[in-house]
Amino acid sequence: MKLATTLKGRFANFFRPRGEVAPEDLIEALEREVAKRKNSQNVVPNHYTIYLCEEDCYRLSAARLIRDLYEAVERKVIRENSFMDGNLSIRIEKFFDEENSLVIKSKFVEDTELEQDTIDLANDVLSRTLIKSGNVSDNEKTIVANHTKIIKTMRTSPARKIEYNLAVITDFTTTEVVFGERQIYLGRKNTNDFVVNDENASRIHAYISYERHRHILHDAGSLNGTFVNKKPISSCELRDGDKILIGNTTLTYKVL
C-alpha cells in the first residue's frame, strides 16, 4: 500500500538556491510536471502540491500568484492537447529539505477527496498566509490561511467565481474575445459573445464550451456549417492556432 501511494504521486525537482525561488520558477516547474505526467489516455493529474522552504513559502504564498499558477496549468493542458478530470487544485506547503528549494508532487484525485484551498482566491487575498500552529510537529506544519486574521485584508466585494483568461478568438481586424471557462456563442446575432458580420453566418452559428479543462467548439446547427482547419465539424477540441471558418470569415483560436 505504501509503495502504491509513492508511485501514484511523482516528484519534479527544480534546483535553485534556497530562498531564491521566483514566481516564474514555480510556473515553469508546474508546466514541466503537467507535460511529464500524461497517462496513456492523455489525461494529466488535477492535484499539485508545491513544497518550498519556509522563507519561500512566506514570500510566494499570495493569492495573485496562486491564480497565475492555476492559469498556467490550465493553458498547459490545452497546449499539450491533454485533458484533466475533476477540479484543479494547487497547494503550497512547507518542507524541510536542506538540498532542494522546490519540489512538486502531482496526483489524480477525486473531487470528493480535495481539501479546501489554502488561499481565498475569490476575494484576492494578497497578504502572506500563516503557518498553521497547534499540536503538530515542525515537519507537519503547512501553509494555510487563518480566516480570523486574514479576513481584514480581504477586499470588500462579495465572493465570486474566478474567471481565468485562457484563450482568445480573433479575426485579426478589430474583433476579439478573451475567455476562460464560460461558454461563449459565435454568430451574426448582435447578442453573441463574438459577433460575425458575415451574411453567410447563421444568427447563432456555433458555441464554445469548456469540458475536461479543454475548449470544445460545437456547430449550432448552422446553415453553411462550421470548419476547423478546412475540415467540417460538428464538435471539435480546439488546439492553439486552430483556424475556424464561419461563413466566409476565418477566426483564430489562440491560447494566451
Side-chain angles (χ1 to χ4, degrees):
M1 184 69 176
K2 185 176 182 180
L3 177 60
T5 301
T6 302
L7 293 176
K8 187 178 181 182
R10 183 174 173 185
F11 285 89
N13 294 297
F14 188 88
F15 297 98
R16 182 176 285 268
R18 291 166 62 81
E20 296 183 13
V21 174
E24 55 267 27
D25 296 333
L26 299 188
I27 292 173
E28 290 174 8
L30 267 175
E31 289 177 337
R32 283 198 301 274
E33 181 71 359
V34 171
K36 288 194 313 180
R37 292 281 281 123
K38 288 189 290 186
N39 64 19
S40 58
Q41 286 77 45
N42 219 26
V43 179
V44 303
N46 64 322
H47 181 78
Y48 298 83
T49 303
I50 303 170
Y51 294 92
L52 297 169
C53 69
E54 182 173 355
E55 179 180 344
D56 287 332
C57 268
Y58 276 109
R59 188 166 50 84
L60 298 174
S61 292
R64 188 165 293 168
L65 175 57
I66 297 294
R67 176 181 175 134
D68 290 344
L69 296 177
Y70 271 77
E71 289 185 338
V73 171
E74 299 280 14
R75 292 169 185 165
K76 189 65 174 177
V77 171
I78 301 172
R79 291 194 176 101
E80 290 293 317
N81 195 29
S82 299
F83 299 91
M84 180 189 295
D85 292 320
N87 292 315
L88 171 61
S89 175
I90 300 175
R91 303 178 67 82
I92 294 179
E93 295 192 11
K94 176 181 173 181
F95 79 128
F96 295 83
D97 190 315
E98 296 301 326
E99 297 181 359
N100 299 337
S101 59
L102 167 60
V103 172
I104 296 178
K105 183 178 180 181
S106 62
K107 59 184 178 180
F108 299 86
V109 178
E110 298 289 338
D111 284 348
T112 54
E113 300 177 48
L114 290 176
E115 300 176 27
Q116 187 176 358
D117 284 340
T118 56
I119 307 294
D120 189 336
L121 288 174
N123 287 284
D124 196 14
V125 179
L126 302 181
S127 65
R128 303 294 182 232
T129 55
L130 306 173
I131 291 185
K132 185 178 182 179
S133 60
N135 297 322
V136 294
S137 67
D138 286 342
N139 289 333
E140 294 175 331
K141 289 181 179 178
T142 59
I143 299 298
V144 297
N146 183 302
H147 179 75
T148 303
K149 295 182 179 180
I150 212 168
I151 193 71
K152 297 177 182 178
T153 70
M154 291 182 179
R155 295 181 179 180
T156 56
S157 59
R160 63 194 185 283
K161 177 177 173 57
I162 292 296
E163 170 63 29
Y164 298 111
N165 292 324
L166 304 177
V168 61
I169 290 285
T170 179
D171 59 9
F172 289 106
T173 57
T174 59
T175 307
E176 68 174 32
V177 172
V178 177
F179 60 102
E181 301 176 9
R182 65 188 174 93
Q183 186 162 296
I184 66 168
Y185 291 85
L186 304 87
R188 202 174 70 250
K189 189 176 180 180
N190 60 13
T191 55
N192 286 309
D193 300 279
F194 192 107
V195 178
V196 182
N197 294 312
D198 185 331
E199 63 181 10
N200 291 305
S202 298
R203 287 171 59 79
I204 299 179
H205 196 104
Y207 64 95
I208 298 175
S209 62
Y210 193 66
E211 305 168 29
R212 301 181 71 197
H213 300 260
R214 290 293 300 277
H215 291 121
I216 313 296
L217 174 67
H218 303 267
D219 180 75
S222 63
L223 180 61
N224 294 316
T226 302
F227 298 77
V228 173
N229 301 328
K230 300 182 179 180
K231 296 181 180 179
I233 62 98
S234 57
S235 64
C236 175
E237 298 142 7
L238 291 173
R239 302 184 67 174
D240 191 24
D242 276 349
K243 302 295 183 182
I244 302 167
L245 181 64
I246 292 179
N248 294 321
T249 302
T250 299
L251 311 177
T252 301
Y253 167 85
K254 293 188 68 65
V255 181
L256 294 176

